[in-house]
Amino acid sequence: MFKKSDIIEKGYIDEAIAPGTDILSEIRRMRKEKNAVILAHYYQTADIQELADFVDDSLELSRKAASASADIIIFAGVKFMAETAKILSPETKVLLPDLNANCSLADTCPPEDFKKFVSDNPGRTVISYINSSVEIKALSDIICTSSNAYKIIESLPVEERIIFAPDRNLGAYIADKVDRDIIMWQGACHVHENISVEAILDLKEKNPDAGIIVHPECETPVRKMADFIGSTGALLRYINTDDAKKYIIGTEPGIIHQMKKLRPDKIFLSVEGRDESCRCNECNYMKLITMKKIYLTLKYEEPEILIEKDLIGKAAKPIRKMLDISDRLGL
Ligand code: 13P
Ligand code: SF4
């Protein structure tokens, strides 16, 4: 007999599902019965993107979480996304099918070290990327995502001095575009830093007609090669309206599912990673979420994201500020 808390924590996934269970129809049945909504990020596998009620980038998913009227949100994404949903919708039960679904970028910014960094650099507005822990959000003035970071910083008075955290690559991308006093936390995402100039050049040589499009979390030399740089949502909008027929995709390949759906007439090439152990460039954290885990999570209503009320209050302020500025700027 399994304890429900053991199932996902200890990995008894297959053993916990009765033979012959039609997982997909059971998820659909329970989702309706329990008034649950499934939010999925573009880096999820194709089957999960197809199942989800909403598939989007970080900004849009946080908007969905803020306006959710469901009793349960199942987040098919990583922990910082599920935490953001809980912060914006504290009365809703927010479930993350695997609590190990962290984010290497968020993990590069330990709260105690960041607190010291902020106090060592007083008088600066702290802008943190949404890919950060709830504790980092609580230490920030404004949160941003890759789709609104540049516009949010540009909208601030020029004399305002800034701390940007935790992504040094997104930070460098913005610092290049604005004439501002910005100091940066030196964090990075292992997936995007695995995308190399050499691998892109190799693909470009074989496919000279392909456009190069990358996420701003990629390193500067990679961004410099790109025809277009943008968030997952922005990359999708770009391939839909741009004239090229083929693209080299400098981000997690999960997005290619939506690209193919949107433009079945075009070709999308994933960039091989430089790291021998992960040539594929998949985000191993995103891919911890599976259909079987979603089924068990919905069935047992675990694992749940629980955050102290006081911390929710502190982290909600900078996220709400981001949503307000984004609405005001029409982002
Ligand atoms: P987006 O905000 O572009 O969806 O990116 C989220 C993310 O985790 C990128 O690695
Ligand atoms: Fe975090 Fe990178 Fe995965 Fe995005 S791709 S969730 S930044 S580890």
Side-chain angles (χ1 to χ4, degrees):
M1 185 63 190
F2 297 101
K3 275 215 287 150
K4 66 176 181 175
S5 56
D6 281 356
I7 294 171
I8 291 168
E9 272 167 37
K10 295 191 179 166
Y12 300 148
I13 306 296
D14 289 326
E15 297 87 335
I17 301 175
T21 305
D22 182 343
I23 291 175
L24 216 49
S25 9
E26 276 302 294
I27 293 175
R28 292 203 168 104
R29 182 187 63 75
M30 289 189 284
R31 167 166 67 182
K32 204 166 166 206
E33 204 173 276
K34 298 185 180 212
N35 188 27
V37 68
I38 301 175
L39 305 184
H41 188 263
Y42 288 131
Y43 295 164
Q44 291 295 300
T45 52
D47 57 343
I48 293 176
Q49 292 190 37
E50 287 304 305
L51 165 79
D53 297 284
F54 301 101
V55 190
D56 226 307
D57 67 5
S58 306
L59 177 62
E60 289 311 315
L61 288 175
S62 45
R63 282 195 171 116
K64 286 283 177 309
S67 62
S69 58
D71 294 318
I72 295 175
I73 293 175
I74 302 234
F75 219 110
V78 290
K79 202 192 246 167
F80 76 80
M81 296 178 173
E83 283 177 349
T84 304
K86 183 67 187 174
I87 294 163
L88 290 171
S89 205
E91 303 310 322
T92 310
K93 187 180 260 190
V94 177
L95 306 172
L96 180 64
D98 191 325
L99 288 181
N100 295 313
N102 294 316
C103 164
S104 62
L105 172 54
D107 289 348
T108 53
C109 197
E112 278 313 308
D113 296 352
F114 187 62
K115 202 172 174 180
K116 183 169 181 319
F117 182 71
V118 172
S119 69
D120 286 349
N121 294 282
R124 289 179 178 265
T125 303
V126 180
I127 305 188
S128 298
Y129 190 25
I130 199 161
N131 296 39
S132 56
S133 66
V134 59
E135 290 82 4
I136 298 298
K137 289 184 173 82
L139 292 167
S140 307
D141 297 303
I142 313 174
I143 299 303
C144 67
T145 71
S146 51
S147 53
N148 60 19
Y150 164 63
K151 290 274 167 107
I152 286 182
I153 290 181
E154 207 193 29
S155 76
L156 301 176
V158 270
E159 63 282 3
E160 217 162 300
R161 296 179 312 135
I162 292 163
I163 288 177
F164 187 84
D167 187 20
R168 61 178 170 220
N169 295 311
L170 177 61
Y173 169 64
I174 297 160
D176 267 0
K177 286 164 62 113
V178 295
D179 187 17
R180 301 285 169 131
D181 178 348
I182 305 179
I183 56 168
M184 261 172 267
W185 184 263
Q186 294 299 312
C189 154
H190 74 300
V191 175
H192 288 87
E193 289 210 332
N194 194 17
I195 295 171
S196 68
V197 167
E198 294 71 26
I200 294 182
L201 280 177
D202 187 42
L203 275 177
K204 184 73 179 171
E205 210 174 299
K206 292 173 189 144
N207 302 275
D209 54 333
I212 301 171
I213 62 172
V214 309
H215 196 277
E217 285 175 24
C218 291
E219 291 173 315
T220 303
V222 169
R223 288 197 317 277
K224 293 250 184 262
M225 305 169 76
D227 298 303
F228 181 75
I229 303 164
S231 67
T232 51
L235 295 179
L236 268 173
R237 288 188 290 279
Y238 182 80
I239 61 101
N240 195 25
T241 51
D242 176 62
D243 290 337
K245 292 274 171 272
K246 207 185 257 187
Y247 297 92
I248 295 166
I249 310 299
T251 192
E252 216 274 1
I255 184 84
I256 293 177
H257 175 63
Q258 292 296 328
M259 290 179 167
K260 282 185 180 158
K261 274 182 82 172
L262 200 59
R263 293 304 303 255
D265 56 320
K266 296 193 176 192
I267 294 169
F268 305 100
L269 306 166
S270 178
V271 184
E272 206 174 68
R274 69 177 130 210
D275 179 352
E276 291 289 339
S277 66
C278 182
R279 287 248 177 245
C280 61
N281 269 323
E282 284 195 342
C283 175
N284 48 317
Y285 297 112
M286 284 278 181
K287 263 51 180 193
L288 280 177
I289 310 300
T290 63
M291 200 61 91
K292 287 178 180 174
K293 289 180 193 170
I294 292 177
Y295 163 77
L296 290 170
T297 299
L298 196 45
K299 182 170 177 183
Y300 294 109
E301 300 184 20
E302 273 187 12
E304 184 174 359
I305 297 288
L306 297 167
I307 307 171
E308 239 179 81
K309 212 173 160 200
D310 184 44
L311 198 51
I312 288 191
K314 286 184 185 147
K317 274 191 203 154
I319 305 177
R320 294 258 172 226
K321 203 157 179 186
M322 166 187 81
L323 294 174
D324 290 348
I325 300 175
S326 298
D327 288 348
R328 182 160 50 78
L329 297 176
L331 303 174

